[in-house]
Amino acid sequence: MTHITSHISEAAEWLNRGEVVAIPTETVYGLAANALNEKAVAKIFEAKNRPFFDPLIVHVSSIDDARKYVEDIPEPLLQLLNKFSPGALTILLKKKKAIPDIVTSGLDTVGIRIPSHPKALALLSQLSFPLCAPSANPFGYVSPTNAQHVYDQLNGKIPCILDGGNCSVGVESTIVGLQEGHVTVFRFGGISLEQIEAEIGAVNILLHQNSNPKAPGMLDSHYAPRKPLFVGNIPNLFSKHSSEKNGLISFSEPYSDLPFTERKILSPTNDLREAAANLFAALRYFDNTDVTSILVEKFPEIGLGRAINDRLNRAATRS
Ligand code: TXA
Ligand code: MG
């Protein structure tokens, strides 16, 4: 049985004993363990059924804390850390020996993130070690954005879930590193491309490099619900799938003229941040209904719309 607690001290006790605890962050819930303890880290891969070639992000409480685990932080990346941390940003940096190979899948870089969720930060500052944590979903499934999501899928596999409410950002962190000396975005996430470029100017973008271990493990079918999911223009999708019991996920429009079985409107006020925060719960929702296919509107390619479209494209059924 997995215990859901709201007490940081209880989560800290399990972590101190080398156990795995699901923790809240502002992006999604993470499956955390002592990043310096290889046996504890191995339990994360086991609980998630995650392949060992997919490296984990290391969470620390401050930039000073990060310096214990990485070589020097190059200027443009330090500027991003100063601007957007704590927050939904992960920076890839040359690791020091203290970070075991199991965390980075043998890479010489480590992803470093300072989460802004108050419970995550409070927990990190109570511990004498950093926490490595992937999203707390079984490998390949949608990331969890509340404690119940974690419980529904990992009950019995981990001792404890620290409940920190609903995640305010709702999509994973933006991953940035250097590629041949150029600042490169490897995953769109909670800090938008516009925010990053406003700070340091134009950057390179390198997504979906699933065969390239240097780029974040963007394995093709990821974030996927169990029901078939199609992304695009809603009236067109509906006419193709009109014989199905269709569920709708849209930005703000209800498409009232089309006979959807159920609808999830992510932001009636047309706010991309609100839409991102509601996205993963909506994807999960339809798995527990009698809807037979999920039709999702393509989002505008601006701000958090990029991260939303990225997750949708990887959740989409290949035809
Ligand atoms: O918002 C987030 O980033 C959440 C919360 C829990 O912090 N974590 C998260 O972790 O999304 P995960 O493991 O689900 O996704 C992290 C991605 C993976 O695709 C992994 O391949 C990539 O980051 N990654 C981690 N370390 C890396 C490294 N050294 N080089 C390249 N990619 C790395
Ligand atoms: Mg993940």
Side-chain angles (χ1 to χ4, degrees):
M1 271 295 285
T2 300
H3 181 228
I4 301 184
T5 182
S6 57
H7 298 292
I8 293 167
S9 55
E10 190 180 336
E13 269 173 43
W14 286 111
L15 291 163
N16 279 322
R17 270 186 255 159
E19 292 298 330
V20 171
V21 173
I23 63 163
T25 84
E26 72 282 15
T27 58
V28 300
Y29 274 66
L31 206 52
N34 178 350
L36 309 181
N37 175 338
E38 298 180 78
K39 273 195 190 143
V41 177
K43 291 180 189 169
I44 295 178
F45 288 91
E46 200 181 326
K48 256 194 86 119
N49 213 357
R50 176 173 172 124
F52 280 103
F53 59 74
D54 199 4
L56 304 178
I57 292 173
V58 171
H59 300 71
V60 297
S61 60
S62 67
I63 297 177
D64 277 348
D65 205 12
R67 290 188 193 281
K68 296 183 207 157
Y69 310 110
V70 300
E71 302 295 346
D72 63 83
I73 308 177
E75 187 45 50
L77 299 182
L78 182 60
Q79 201 178 329
L80 292 179
L81 271 178
N82 279 322
K83 175 76 182 181
F84 298 114
S85 290
L89 179 73
T90 295
I91 299 282
L92 302 180
L93 294 162
K94 279 256 179 316
K95 79 175 188 77
K96 284 187 178 160
K97 279 217 177 66
I99 300 293
D101 282 339
I102 185 174
V103 171
T104 61
S105 309
L107 297 176
D108 61 356
T109 56
V110 61
I112 294 281
R113 179 160 114 75
I114 306 169
S116 69
H117 191 293
K119 278 197 172 166
L121 270 183
L123 175 63
L124 283 166
S125 55
Q126 276 187 26
L127 298 170
S128 61
F129 45 80
L131 291 174
C132 58
S135 50
N137 47 288
F139 183 68
Y141 196 72
V142 181
S143 299
T145 52
N146 63 40
Q148 189 63 42
H149 291 164
V150 181
Y151 185 86
D152 290 346
Q153 295 190 300
L154 296 180
N155 179 26
K157 298 199 162 165
I158 54 175
C160 178
I161 300 169
L162 178 60
D163 191 349
N166 288 320
C167 300
S168 59
V169 176
V171 291
E172 296 85 349
S173 60
T174 303
I175 302 182
V176 182
L178 289 179
Q179 169 100 337
E180 285 154 15
H182 297 289
V183 179
T184 304
V185 172
F186 293 99
R187 174 173 77 180
F188 288 138
I191 302 292
S192 71
L193 183 64
E194 289 87 343
Q195 283 175 290
I196 288 173
E197 294 195 326
E199 190 61 22
I200 57 166
V203 298
N204 290 345
I205 295 165
L206 185 60
L207 309 170
H208 297 252
Q209 296 291 305
N210 51 343
S211 58
N212 174 2
K214 250 216 101 155
M218 294 304 190
L219 300 162
D220 247 358
S221 181
H222 230 98
Y223 308 94
R226 289 187 292 273
K227 301 276 170 79
L229 180 147
F230 304 93
V231 188
N233 169 281
I234 292 297
N236 291 350
L237 287 176
F238 198 94
S239 59
K240 264 200 217 158
H241 297 274
S242 55
S243 62
E244 300 286 334
K245 280 188 167 176
N246 287 306
L248 168 72
I249 299 180
S250 71
F251 186 6
S252 57
E253 238 200 271
Y255 294 96
S256 311
D257 51 325
L258 297 172
F260 279 102
T261 306
E262 292 201 58
R263 294 178 166 76
K264 283 281 171 193
I265 295 161
L266 298 188
S267 173
T269 59
N270 230 55
D271 173 352
L272 285 168
R273 286 182 185 278
E274 182 182 36
N278 291 327
L279 176 68
F280 289 158
L283 291 178
R284 276 171 189 268
Y285 173 79
F286 287 110
D287 274 346
N288 300 316
T289 67
D290 63 353
V291 153
T292 56
S293 84
I294 310 169
L295 308 186
V296 193
E297 186 170 52
K298 185 181 186 317
F299 277 68
E301 266 298 292
I302 50 166
L304 291 201
R306 283 197 188 83
I308 295 173
N309 285 332
D310 173 82
R311 303 308 185 271
L312 289 175
N313 289 333
R314 276 182 289 124
T317 305
R318 311 260 176 254
S319 46

